[in-house]
Amino acid sequence: DRPVDDPLKWRLRDPRAYDAAFVDDWLWVRLMDVPAALSARSYGAQGSLVIDVVDAFRPYGAASGTFRLDSDGPDAPGKCVPAQGSAADLQVDVRDLGSLWTGAVRASTLRAAGRLHGDVDAVRVADRVFATARAPFCGTGF
């Protein structure tokens, strides 16, 4: 039970001896209060994005809507507020927003998979803003 970016592999004399025979995520994140969640974490870079969050399960729930995220950069909490009427830079389903929020998946990867929509420049900003120093890790199965 080790993180995917565990440095242990690189401490070994022969890193090829480290065998990841099983990979499991153990944790799923579904943001219910997008402004609170996006305002509660710090970000990898300075930037602003308007994000249209789609929630097919609860289309009129608190997770659905358009939100503006402003980040002042590393070690500073972001600020996220509703932005109805603003043109969105990105559109993402709330299911995928959880992966982006944790830093588990890059926006460009979600875009390539057809799970996030937005122009290339906005996706580049999202890649930098949502970047984390370490991959997320949940060491507790439940």
Side-chain angles (χ1 to χ4, degrees), residues 31-53:
L31 302 181
M32 299 299 290
D33 186 339
V34 172
L38 294 182
S39 295
R41 66 159 281 191
S42 59
Y43 291 89
Q46 183 177 4
S48 295
L49 293 163
V50 176
I51 305 169
D52 179 28
V53 180

Side-chain angles (χ1 to χ4, degrees), residues 4 15 20 37 47 52 78 93 98 101 110 114 117:
V4 294
D52 179 28
D93 191 281
W101 179 74
L110 291 172
H117 305 282

Side-chain angles (χ1 to χ4, degrees), residues 92-103:
V92 64
D93 191 281
V94 70
R95 295 172 300 171
D96 300 310
L97 182 61
S99 296
L100 191 63
W101 179 74
T102 63

Side-chain angles (χ1 to χ4, degrees), residues 2-127:
R2 305 298 304 164
V4 294
D5 60 350
D6 188 358
L8 174 63
K9 173 181 179 174
W10 301 105
R11 293 184 58 100
L12 300 174
R13 181 169 302 200
D14 179 6
R16 291 178 197 90
Y18 184 97
D19 183 25
F22 179 74
V23 177
D24 196 6
D25 54 16
W26 286 11
L27 182 66
W28 298 308
V29 175
R30 187 180 203 287
L31 302 181
M32 299 299 290
D33 186 339
V34 172
L38 294 182
S39 295
R41 66 159 281 191
S42 59
Y43 291 89
Q46 183 177 4
S48 295
L49 293 163
V50 176
I51 305 169
D52 179 28
V53 180
V54 178
D55 184 352
F57 180 66
R58 296 182 64 219
Y60 302 104
S64 288
T66 305
F67 306 93
R68 179 179 182 83
L69 171 65
D70 293 305
S71 166
D72 289 332
D75 303 322
K79 180 180 179 187
C80 182
V81 296
Q84 283 79 8
S86 297
D89 299 310
L90 302 174
Q91 183 184 57
V92 64
D93 191 281
V94 70
R95 295 172 300 171
D96 300 310
L97 182 61
S99 296
L100 191 63
W101 179 74
T102 63
V105 181
R106 292 169 47 99
S108 55
T109 301
L110 291 172
R111 184 176 187 263
R115 299 178 74 101
L116 179 143
H117 305 282
D119 69 38
V120 175
D121 292 332
V123 171
R124 285 184 186 133
V125 170
D127 277 348

